[in-house]
Amino acid sequence: MQHDPRMAEQLRRRQPMFNLPRATQILIAINVIVHLVRQILPQGTDWELIANAAVIPARYTYGPGFDLPSIIAPLTFQFLHGGFLHLLMNMALLAAWGAGVERVIGPLRMVVFYLVCGGAGALAHVLLYPESMVPMIGASAGISGLFAGVLIIMRRHRASGGAILPLALLWIATAVITGIWGTPGAEGESVAWVAHIGGFLAGLALFPFAMPRR
């Protein structure tokens, strides 16, 4: 059988099916590891973890002030999930949109952008539901920010024909609908739709500043 150098070159250049950038891989790994560790924790310990690491609006309104849980919760809540399906859905979106954003702005900027959008979503949730004592967890707010970044990238490359507004409105409408009727995978918990919208709007506002300058 003769050796075809062109075919060999094509095979060498072929990318793996799940060739995710490094920072996106690390974020997904942290989320999965945290969720797996929670499965082996005693129920009381897991509830204590949620109470300290989730965003609970009433903590800021009626709590002892800005103690350590209050300060770190806008970051740590993004790595907690309500169930395996909730985790799977979010990690699939993180893989899809995080990879695209990371390849454009780089790993460090992507992680900072993602976490800041998640924190912005938490702030929006606290402002609208200041008396709520229901813990809010999940990576959806940060992922919403990544989606906003993807839309801006598509617009700049004319991949969406400049139709960013209809896609943005569709995403906001989806967040409101899931907030009213819920979504699978959260084990009966309500969906923090305000955090989704807050993270998305933060992404639209902040992503141009995260883009590398020419």
Side-chain angles (χ1 to χ4, degrees), residues 40-62:
I40 62 176
L41 292 178
Q43 186 175 16
T45 303
D46 187 53
W47 276 108
E48 184 176 355
L49 173 65
I50 295 295
N52 286 281
V55 170
I56 304 175
R59 174 187 285 145
Y60 301 92
T61 307
Y62 303 110

Side-chain angles (χ1 to χ4, degrees), residues 32-152:
V32 172
I33 291 172
V34 168
H35 195 73
L36 292 177
V37 169
R38 287 182 57 207
Q39 306 312 303
I40 62 176
L41 292 178
Q43 186 175 16
T45 303
D46 187 53
W47 276 108
E48 184 176 355
L49 173 65
I50 295 295
N52 286 281
V55 170
I56 304 175
R59 174 187 285 145
Y60 301 92
T61 307
Y62 303 110
F66 285 92
D67 55 358
L68 181 59
S70 300
I71 295 173
I72 66 172
L75 172 65
T76 55
F77 89 100
Q78 302 181 53
F79 298 94
L80 302 172
H81 289 84
F84 277 103
L85 185 55
H86 185 205
L87 175 70
L88 178 61
M89 292 171 60
N90 275 350
M91 292 306 99
L93 295 176
L94 176 55
W97 296 334
V101 171
E102 182 177 351
R103 290 189 176 106
V104 172
I105 67 175
L108 180 58
R109 292 189 182 194
M110 187 278 284
V111 172
V112 173
F113 173 76
Y114 166 76
L115 295 176
V116 169
C117 288
L123 176 62
H125 180 75
V126 171
L127 291 177
L128 193 63
Y129 300 106
E131 299 181 356
S132 174
M133 298 187 66
V134 179
M136 181 183 70
I137 58 177
S140 300
I143 291 172
S144 297
L146 291 176
F147 179 60
V150 168
L151 291 184
I152 294 176

